Amino acid sequence: MGEFVHELTGGLQEARDRLDQARADEDAYGVEVWQARLDSLERLAVQHGVPLPDHT
């Protein structure tokens, strides 16, 4: 399960970073895509009891 958690938390961080960049670029499509990806990964984390890392 360690690899799963590692991949999931890495995916969450990537989605957050790309979402932040899309927002900074005022890329509405990118915001929509990365927000959906982030929402999906967060649901997956909750379903499997993986704590969500803080976003600063």
Side-chain angles (χ1 to χ4, degrees):
M1 182 107 164
E3 184 65 22
F4 172 74
V5 171
H6 178 74
E7 290 294 320
L8 183 57
T9 55
L12 284 162
Q13 188 59 54
E14 178 187 13
R16 286 178 173 158
D17 291 346
R18 291 188 182 235
L19 176 59
D20 289 345
Q21 187 60 53
R23 286 179 176 151
D25 293 343
E26 297 181 11
D27 176 5
Y29 177 73
V31 168
E32 186 176 331
V33 168
W34 288 106
Q35 184 63 63
R37 178 69 175 147
L38 181 59
D39 292 346
S40 176
L41 290 171
E42 287 178 343
R43 277 192 302 274
L44 187 62
V46 169
Q47 288 172 349
H48 290 277
V50 176
L52 295 173
D54 290 335
H55 180 54
T56 56

